[in-house]
Amino acid sequence: MVAAIRPAGKPAGLWALPKGRIDLGEPGETESPEAAALREVAEETGAHGRSLGKLGDVKYVFTWPPKPAAGERIFKVVSFFLVRYQGGRLGDVPEEFRHEVAEVKWLPLADAPRLLAYGGEKEMARKALERLDADV
């Protein structure tokens, strides 16, 4: 199973993986990408787990602010980690993050490449399946 979210403002049936920014903290105390992934999963789903390692990166470019304004082109890299569920209740999103997430749902991992909305996330689901199949 995979914990998927419907980000706030997105239509029903649009499923994505939890993600967010690395917490810069105090100078010299920047959060690692892996720690950020674990934190974001907990914040956006209510569930927590342990990392089984990095799956890969998704790179893309977007314009901000969005059109019609002539915005700045932003290059973004999102690192994804395979996380084994350990506890928490899916949907128990902390109050301060509820504005980011409209819905949280368990999806069968085998169906995730079809059900997730974004190409890079579909590829990460395929990689997770491959890794878990190799461990059996």
Side-chain angles (χ1 to χ4, degrees):
M1 301 298 282
V2 62
I5 65 167
R6 179 168 61 91
K10 299 295 183 181
L14 186 146
W15 296 108
L17 297 175
K19 57 190 161 295
R21 297 181 181 182
I22 292 174
D23 187 354
L24 299 177
E26 297 297 319
E29 296 179 12
T30 300
E31 185 177 44
S32 73
E34 188 171 45
L38 294 171
R39 177 183 50 77
E40 288 290 341
V41 166
E43 289 174 357
E44 294 185 2
T45 71
H48 62 273
R50 65 181 172 86
S51 174
L52 300 179
K54 188 173 179 176
L55 287 171
D57 295 324
V58 173
K59 300 171 185 175
Y60 60 96
V61 177
F62 63 96
T63 302
W64 190 260
K67 302 209 186 270
E72 179 182 359
R73 289 181 53 83
I74 308 291
F75 177 74
K76 190 167 188 174
V77 177
V78 181
S79 297
F80 287 90
F81 294 82
L82 183 59
V83 177
R84 170 86 56 199
Y85 172 81
Q86 289 186 305
R89 187 166 153 251
L90 203 69
D92 277 353
V93 177
E95 183 67 39
E96 62 268 29
F97 302 106
R98 289 187 187 158
H99 69 282
E100 297 178 15
V101 179
E103 189 176 359
V104 184
K105 181 178 181 176
W106 287 114
L107 299 177
L109 182 56
D111 296 337
R114 178 178 54 82
L115 296 174
L116 292 171
Y118 305 112
E121 295 183 12
K122 291 172 184 277
E123 179 61 26
M124 292 301 118
R126 283 189 282 276
K127 286 184 174 190
L129 281 165
E130 289 169 8
R131 180 156 326 154
L132 292 171
D133 284 346
D135 289 346
V136 174

